[in-house]
């Protein structure tokens, strides 16, 4: 009788632990799968194309390790001709992940993005002034050439007419990501920064 | 549940041993409680003097003493787990042996909880128990806040939903959380993740303030928290508990239900709970995106066969926790703006919707236990546990609908414990344990995994023994762990890195307990060790508003941190943390006073912490970078609690916690350490009142000081513009001064009436604006303002078959 009881008990134990042990053999040595990394920007290139024709002028900034501790490097100065009209466009890349198409990403969400500009006062004859960066400055003069579906400017395409020659001026571009916050009244202090770069501007 | 028992319960917690009153109440009753069937002593039986609000708990040998009685003749009500209550008319000079019959009918849920044997191996460590009544009053609170009323305990948080208990300055995975005896397996890295525990289903929570590594797991450098869910009692008539509560701040509500029953050989329970809270408000503004939603389910089944007990438990928790919108800023410009502003940068109208940033977690726990009580004083226990933790975290970002962190963590535990028969006066427990954890990243986050895939395997064995002589008890314990780690992670360019490392470690503890006429002294010295967790080793990059780098993720190049390579563990100088905690507790009961003083020191070699280190420029602009660092740290502190029963109904409780901590290796401050705090509460426990069977009014005031030991402040602006020059060897700093001290007032009234109990509680009654140094959101927003909580519980218990 005692043996039968013990067998019954053993059966109970077996049942209990089968329930627990089923999922417990999951030892593996798999590494995480590769990820698309469209969140990281390593390279931003500004492309100034003269509207009257001619070679485009580019200036690049690079942060080769993305979020790592290596500092950003602004590699080029912007050298524009005086009294000339340019169209400014951008090329944004993550060279750590060649598959990521960041330009398309930004364009897809153009109603959440806006590029703001700041530059040495009156470096340009159009737009005049010193740009629209900073709180409450969003309405300041910038020649945006593109609009999102809500009719708000984006800034991936803009036009610029240089003024008289000067060297050592500055030109700052700031792409703000403003999900749910981009409105006709929003400015560069709304949302988060995707990139914020300052170049040296020379007009010859 | 009997109403008086709840009252009793509240009293028990505040004054387990203090029952005296003023003169002329000088009569004393002492005696021994015995099992009527076996004549064996019944340990920890509860003896109540009817009509006198007096209680005592028998000791391990069944002996008890109640003094300060106002009359020679009294009616005693004696109760204990597994025995029928006994009512005895005691006259001076009558027999002092009291017999209890084994109960074959019902058990009173609350009575049996009253005082229980402290777990073997922790008897000499100061500990505090929170019971069901205290938890139930505020069913929407977290484990962290529920425990924070205990002296020496506070919580570190990220907002209102992610709250981690901090014991004597240590938190995170230096505090072991045991859920029904199983180490809670969750992503306990950083300050960002709180244990996923539903406290409405907890029947009691025990907080152990000392290093209890030998008994529970070597990581318990700071202490351990034992959460027990509903008891599986035999011989319990069918019961139902239904609770509802609502609160003003966040328009939150909770509803919970528990049913259960126990026959002679079977017992079960089923419980469920649902909580929803919307955006909270600080006194001056809305805390946008601060709500939470939580669903909990649990069930248990026990079967007894002769000397065997088989039990199964399952619990499930589904949480969706919002994190304050304004705290997720990817640009330092926004961060500087935010910390310089009086109000958060982002304030929107109140909403119940939880949006990014948020954390959605599901936690499953299944546990099986077999207990074989093969002799009166000896048993074998086998426990198997399986846990699955699925975590998804969402950030405000371009791909906000995709989780930025998506992890599956599987934890398995097996424990075999032998409580051996008494041998030459030695009582003890010998055990072997196997623990394994497997973390996997689910692909599709569009982000470099912040924590690598890893497998941890650990084999442990331990022995704890104690010997008692007269009023002295000595305790000693030893533990041996073998741990292996296998890590596979991704570099930012998607290249795989792998690492493997092993540890062998010995943990020991030594303790002493001395019982006095009217008090006790406990002393314990315990060691503990912990390896750096994978996040502390391998984290890389963006984590909310900062970039954070693990110990193996950066190297020093020309005095500057450099993140080009991932170092291999064995090539690095990273060492496991080793802690040595010495804790002493004096408990004195004199007249109507109870004093408890806890004094401790904790020396931790290679203490791991994160700190701001530099500003680095990325295309986003300058970013604040944090690194993990190691240093030898010393923690010295004391907790003091004084309770006084001024009259039969009015009592006060004074508490004070002090902690001094320092990085003594580099002779500099530590960051994020709890400031000094003090509290005073006044309680008016009227008992029967206006037709209610119980009425308790309590006013609690507390003052938390400014953290005067905080590191120096280097304003972020000066890091960004380069006027502050910092290197890896610079003195530790923070980017904001610690917040000012603050005074808070809480008021609560709890009642019982027939099968109902409930109450009204007001938290932050004065609607004070304040910020807590241990809240990561102190940079961005104030803590919530006034909150009024209404709760109502209905308890139904079927009639007992007999008596």
């Amino acid at each position: 009788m005692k043996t039968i009881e013990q067998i019954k008990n053993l059966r109970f134990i077996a049942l209990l632990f089968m329930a627990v042990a089923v999922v417990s053999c999951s030892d593996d040595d798999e590494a995480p799968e590769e990820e698309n990394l469209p969140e990281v920007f390593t390279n931003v290139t500004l492309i100034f194309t003269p509207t009257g024709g001619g070679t485009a002028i580019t200036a690049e900034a690079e942060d080769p390790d993305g979020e790592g501790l290596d500092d950003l490097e602004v590699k080029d100065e912007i050298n524009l001709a005086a009294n000339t009209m340019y169209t400014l466009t951008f090329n944004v890349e993550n060279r750590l992940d060649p598959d990521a198409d960041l330009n398309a990403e930004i364009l897809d969400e153009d109603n959440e993005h806006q590029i703001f500009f700041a530059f040495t006062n009156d470096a340009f004859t159009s737009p005049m002034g010193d740009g629209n960066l900073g709180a409450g400055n969003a309405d300041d003069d910038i020649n945006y050439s593109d609009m999102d579906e809500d009719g708000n400017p984006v800034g991936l395409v803009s036009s610029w007419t240089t003024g008289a020659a000067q060297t050592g001026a500055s030109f700052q571009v700031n792409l703000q990501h403003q999900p749910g916050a981009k409105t006709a009244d929003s400015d560069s202090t709304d949302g988060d920064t995707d990139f914020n770069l300052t170049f040296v501007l020379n007009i010859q | 549940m009997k109403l008086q028992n709840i009252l009793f319960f509240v009293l028990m917690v505040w004054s387990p041993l203090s029952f005296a009153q003023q003169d002329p109440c000088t009569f004393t009753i002492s005696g021994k409680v015995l099992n009527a069937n076996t004549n064996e002593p019944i340990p920890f039986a509860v003896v109540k003097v009817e009509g006198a609000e007096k209680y005592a708990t028998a000791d391990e040998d069944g002996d008890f003493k109640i003094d300060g009685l106002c009359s020679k003749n009294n009616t005693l009500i004696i109760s204990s787990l597994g025995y029928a209550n006994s009512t005895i008319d005691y006259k001076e000079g009558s027999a002092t042996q009291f017999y209890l019959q084994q109960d074959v009918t019902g058990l009173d849920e609350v009575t049996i909880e009253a005082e229980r044997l402290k777990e073997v191996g922790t008897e000499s460590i100061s500990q505090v128990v929170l019971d069901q009544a205290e938890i139930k009053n505020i069913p929407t609170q977290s484990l962290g806040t529920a425990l924070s009323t205990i002296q020496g305990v506070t919580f570190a948080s990220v907002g209102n939903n992610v709250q981690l208990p901090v014991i004597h300055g240590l938190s995170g995975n230096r505090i072991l959380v045991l859920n029904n005896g199983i180490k809670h397996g969750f992503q306990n890295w950083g300050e960002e993740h709180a244990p996923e525990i539903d406290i409405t289903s907890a029947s009691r929570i025990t907080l152990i303030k000392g290093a209890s590594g030998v008994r529970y797991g070597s990581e318990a450098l700071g202490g351990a928290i034992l959460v027990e869910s509903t008891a599986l009692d035999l011989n319990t008539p069918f019961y139902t508990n239904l609770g509802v509560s609502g609160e003003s701040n966040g328009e939150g509500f909770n509803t919970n239900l528990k049913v259960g029953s126990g026959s002679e050989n079977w017992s079960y329970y089923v419980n469920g709970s649902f909580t929803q809270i919307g955006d909270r408000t600080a006194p001056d503004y809305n805390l946008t995106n601060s709500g939470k939603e939580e669903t909990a389910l649990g069930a248990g089944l026990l079967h007894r066969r002769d000397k065997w007990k088989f039990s199964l438990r399952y619990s499930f928790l589904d949480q969706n926790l919002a994190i304050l919108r304004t705290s997720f800023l990817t640009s330092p410009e926004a961060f500087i703006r935010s910390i310089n502003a009086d109000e958060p940068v982002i304030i929107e109208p109140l909403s119940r919707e939880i949006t990014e940033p948020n954390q959605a977690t599901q936690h499953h726990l299944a546990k099986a236990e077999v207990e074989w009580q093969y002799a009166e004083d000896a048993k074998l226990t086998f426990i198997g546990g399986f846990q699955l933790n699925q975590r998804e975290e969402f950030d405000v970002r371009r791909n906000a609908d995709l989780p930025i962190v998506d992890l599956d963590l599987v934890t398995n535990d097996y424990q075999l414990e032998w409580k051996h028969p008494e041998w030459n006066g030695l009582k003890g427990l010998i055990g072997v344990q196997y623990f394994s954890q497997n973390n996997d990243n689910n692909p599709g986050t569009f982000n470099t995994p912040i924590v690598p895939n890893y497998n941890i395997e650990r084999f442990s064995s331990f022995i704890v023994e104690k010997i008692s002589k007269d009023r002295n008890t000595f305790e000693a314990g030893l533990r041996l762990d073998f741990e292996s780690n296998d890590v596979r992670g991704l570099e930012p360019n998607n290249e795989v890195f792998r690492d493997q490392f092993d540890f062998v470690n010995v943990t020991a503890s030594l303790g002493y307990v001395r019982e006095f006429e009217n008090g006790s002294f406990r002393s314990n010295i315990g060691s503990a060790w912990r390896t750096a967790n994978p996040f502390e080793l391998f984290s890389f990059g963006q984590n909310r508003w900062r970039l954070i780098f693990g110990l193996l993720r950066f190297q020093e190049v020309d005095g500057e941190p450099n993140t080009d390579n991932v170092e291999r563990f064995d090539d690095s100088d990273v060492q496991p943390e080793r802690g040595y905690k010495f804790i002493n507790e004096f408990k004195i009961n004199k007249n109507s006073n109870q004093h408890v003083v806890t004094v401790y020191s904790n020396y931790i070699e290679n203490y791991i912490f994160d700190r701001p280190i530099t500003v680095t420029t990325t295309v986003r602009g300058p970013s604040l970078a944090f690194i993990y660092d190691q240093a030898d740290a010393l923690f010295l502190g004391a907790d003091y609690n004084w309770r006084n029963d001024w009259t039969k109904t009015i009592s006060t409780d004074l508490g004070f916690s002090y902690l001094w901590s320092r990085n003594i290796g580099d002779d500099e401050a530590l960051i994020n350490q709890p400031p000094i705090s003090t509290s005073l509460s006044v309680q008016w426990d009227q008992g029967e009142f206006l037709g209610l069977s119980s009425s308790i009014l309590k006013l609690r005031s507390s003052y938390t000081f400014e953290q005067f030991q905080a590191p120096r402040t280097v304003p972020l602006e000066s890091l960004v513009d380069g006027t502050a020059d910092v290197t890896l060897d610079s003195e530790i700093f923070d980017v904001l001064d610690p917040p000012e001290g603050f005074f808070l007032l809480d008021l609560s009234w709890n009642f019982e009436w027939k099968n109902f109990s409930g109450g009204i509680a007001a938290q932050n009654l004065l609607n004070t604006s304040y910020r807590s140094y241990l809240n990561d959101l102190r940079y961005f927003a104030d803590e919530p303002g006034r909150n009024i909580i209404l709760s109502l519980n209905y308890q139904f218990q079927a009639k007992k078959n007999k008596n």
Side-chain angles (χ1 to χ4, degrees), chain B residues 123-135:
Chain B
E123 276 178 61
S124 58
I125 308 176
S126 175
Q127 35 191 291
V128 184
V129 175
L130 275 196
D131 61 79
Q132 210 173 7
E134 286 175 281
I135 299 162

Side-chain angles (χ1 to χ4, degrees), chain A residues 150-171:
Chain A
D150 304 320
N152 295 317
V154 183
L156 288 170
V157 188
S158 54
S159 72
W160 304 80
T161 307
T162 50
Q166 60 171 306
T167 54
S170 85
F171 189 78

Side-chain angles (χ1 to χ4, degrees), chain A residues 40-73:
Chain A
V40 181
F41 294 9
T42 64
N43 296 68
V44 179
T45 310
L46 277 57
I47 305 163
F48 286 90
T49 311
T51 45
T55 320
I57 292 150
T58 62
E60 189 184 14
E62 180 176 45
D63 185 14
D65 64 344
E67 290 186 350
L69 283 170
D70 281 355
D71 274 346
L72 167 86
E73 210 184 325

Side-chain angles (χ1 to χ4, degrees), chain B residues 584-795:
Chain B
N584 299 284
E585 180 200 75
F586 307 85
K587 211 180 247 184
I588 299 152
N589 300 293
K590 210 163 183 197
N591 301 326
S592 55
N593 293 282
Q594 186 190 49
H595 301 270
V596 183
V597 182
T598 309
V599 184
Y600 60 90
S601 69
N602 198 353
Y603 173 65
I604 301 179
E605 264 180 287
N606 312 312
Y607 176 72
I608 300 166
F609 59 101
D610 64 299
R611 61 181 176 115
I613 189 66
T614 187
V615 160
T616 180
T617 23
T618 67
V619 292
R620 287 179 168 138
S623 274
L624 185 59
F626 281 66
I627 53 164
Y628 274 99
D629 202 352
Q630 288 195 290
D632 296 338
L634 181 64
F635 302 77
L636 299 174
D639 308 328
Y640 172 62
N641 195 280
W642 170 44
R643 180 192 159 89
N644 191 13
D645 298 313
W646 298 95
T647 71
K648 278 187 177 183
T649 54
I650 307 280
S651 61
T652 56
D653 240 293
L654 177 73
F656 181 75
S657 296
Y658 175 82
L659 170 65
W660 177 90
S661 58
R662 197 153 176 89
N663 168 354
I664 54 169
D666 304 318
D667 192 27
E668 59 182 34
L670 288 172
I671 195 166
N672 295 335
Q673 285 291 310
I676 298 173
S677 67
T678 176
S679 69
L680 174 68
S681 51
V682 182
Q683 181 169 302
W684 175 40
D685 181 348
Q686 186 53 41
E688 286 182 24
F689 183 65
L690 294 176
L692 300 169
S693 45
S694 161
S695 161
I696 300 171
L697 186 68
K698 189 171 162 182
L699 182 69
R700 183 178 194 268
S701 59
S702 64
Y703 187 79
T704 304
F705 288 80
E706 180 177 327
Q707 177 50 289
F708 62 88
Q709 304 178 82
R712 69 192 170 123
T713 304
V714 176
L716 194 50
E717 293 93 323
S718 69
L719 290 167
V720 171
D721 66 23
T723 52
D725 187 30
V726 289
T727 66
L728 272 175
D729 301 320
S730 299
E731 188 190 334
I732 189 168
F733 61 91
D734 199 347
V735 292
L736 200 64
D737 290 335
E740 289 165 18
F742 55 89
F743 175 81
L744 292 179
L745 212 54
D746 299 332
L747 182 67
S748 69
W749 175 68
N750 290 293
F751 72 93
E752 286 161 24
W753 179 70
K754 296 189 173 167
N755 284 338
F756 294 92
S757 63
I760 303 174
Q763 295 171 323
N764 192 2
L765 186 67
L766 303 176
N767 209 23
T768 306
S769 292
Y770 69 103
R771 297 188 184 196
S772 160
Y773 181 60
L774 295 185
N775 190 342
D776 190 88
L777 301 191
R778 70 178 183 273
Y779 296 107
F780 308 102
D782 290 343
E783 298 285 335
R786 186 186 299 123
N787 186 19
I788 312 284
I789 303 148
L790 292 172
S791 65
L792 187 65
N793 297 295
Y794 171 75
Q795 288 143 358

Side-chain angles (χ1 to χ4, degrees), chain B residues 64 70-71 83 89 166 209 272 447 511 518 524 526 529 539 640:
Chain B
F64 71 92
C70 305
S71 155
Y83 298 88
D89 286 320
V166 179
K209 289 182 174 179
N447 190 45
N518 46 19
N524 179 282
W529 71 285
S539 66
Y640 172 62

Side-chain angles (χ1 to χ4, degrees), chain B residues 105-156:
Chain B
T105 55
L107 289 177
D108 197 300
E109 191 186 350
V110 172
T111 313
I112 61 167
E113 302 276 7
E115 179 93 347
R116 229 182 43 172
L117 186 58
K118 283 181 175 167
E119 294 269 355
V120 186
T122 65
E123 276 178 61
S124 58
I125 308 176
S126 175
Q127 35 191 291
V128 184
V129 175
L130 275 196
D131 61 79
Q132 210 173 7
E134 286 175 281
I135 299 162
K136 275 209 155 165
N137 292 336
I138 305 174
T140 52
Q141 66 189 333
S142 70
L143 182 68
T145 48
L147 291 168
S148 67
T149 52
I150 299 170
Q151 295 311 320
V153 183
T154 176
F155 60 88

Side-chain angles (χ1 to χ4, degrees), chain A residues 26 67 69 109 189 194 196, chain B residues 337 398 438 494 542 563 619:
Chain A
S26 46
E67 290 186 350
L69 283 170
E109 294 174 352
T189 62
D194 276 343
N196 185 3
Chain B
R337 222 166 42 238
R398 211 161 298 103
N438 176 17
N494 272 325
Q542 186 76 39
T563 47
V619 292

